[in-house]
Amino acid sequence: WRQQPSPLSQDEAALVILLDISASMQQTDVQPSRLQRAKQKISDLLALRPDKKAALIVYAGSAHTALSLTADQEILNQYLAAITPAIMPRAGKFPEYSLPLLDEVLRDSQAPATVVLFADGLGAQSAAAFDSYFDRTAHQLLVVGVGTEREEKGLAPLERRALEELAEAAGGSYTDITV
């Protein structure tokens, strides 16, 4: 016998993952690649929230809802495993294109959501767009930088400072994956 939690105190907050799948996420400064490491961390995060709703939005030169809010972690992990930069119709790095999709994904959600951005950099207009969006919503932003800041030929360094500023401007927090 076990007491069931009260339905009046259920955690209804959704988790929305914004995943950068631009070409720079294929770099291997973080093993096995930035993208694969981000996927591993997303799976770990989902495992900490069993039976809670989550959604996945991917972006590069455009943004797309890979999976709307679902409590089915198995299907979310299957979609996550299938994500590659090759599926994107346009190259680029525009996380701000995912913001209108957030409203669409969360339209039926009553509680403020937690939005987790996994990226290695930003576009020129990203910070202003995120600042404006999170000023007018109650959602929480967490930014996870993926990569290292090494300056090597052919390697796009992690834009740590820009990502930290984005998180700060949106009232969120920043962490990174460097190993």
Side-chain angles (χ1 to χ4, degrees), residues 137-177:
T137 66
H139 306 313
Q140 173 187 18
L141 176 67
L142 304 174
V143 179
V144 181
V146 186
T148 61
E149 294 178 287
R150 285 187 298 199
E151 302 260 349
E152 293 180 19
K153 184 178 180 182
L155 180 68
L158 169 67
E159 297 175 18
R160 177 174 294 153
R161 188 68 207 132
L163 292 168
E164 287 173 339
E165 289 172 0
L166 174 77
E168 185 178 304
S173 63
Y174 174 84
T175 189
D176 58 38
I177 303 170

Side-chain angles (χ1 to χ4, degrees), residues 19-27 33-39 42 56-66 76-92:
L19 179 60
D20 177 357
I21 60 169
S22 62
S24 64
M25 291 293 283
Q26 293 290 79
Q27 296 179 154
S33 71
R34 291 178 179 185
L35 181 57
Q36 290 303 320
R37 181 54 64 97
K39 289 179 180 184
I42 292 167
L56 176 63
I57 298 174
V58 296
Y59 70 88
S62 58
H64 306 274
T65 302
L76 206 138
N77 280 316
Q78 289 175 359
Y79 272 73
L80 188 62
I83 299 292
T84 68
I87 68 169
M88 296 306 286
R90 282 185 275 176

Side-chain angles (χ1 to χ4, degrees), residues 73-148:
Q73 288 186 5
E74 185 176 322
I75 191 120
L76 206 138
N77 280 316
Q78 289 175 359
Y79 272 73
L80 188 62
I83 299 292
T84 68
I87 68 169
M88 296 306 286
R90 282 185 275 176
K93 189 176 294 287
F94 300 101
E96 62 272 22
Y97 292 174
S98 63
L99 297 175
L101 298 177
L102 273 174
D103 289 332
E104 189 178 306
V105 165
L106 296 170
R107 71 179 171 269
D108 295 330
S109 182
Q110 303 301 318
T114 298
V115 178
V116 186
L117 171 67
F118 286 84
D120 63 0
L122 301 172
Q125 305 300 318
S126 302
F130 270 73
D131 184 27
S132 173
Y133 180 84
F134 284 93
D135 273 351
R136 64 180 171 80
T137 66
H139 306 313
Q140 173 187 18
L141 176 67
L142 304 174
V143 179
V144 181
V146 186
T148 61

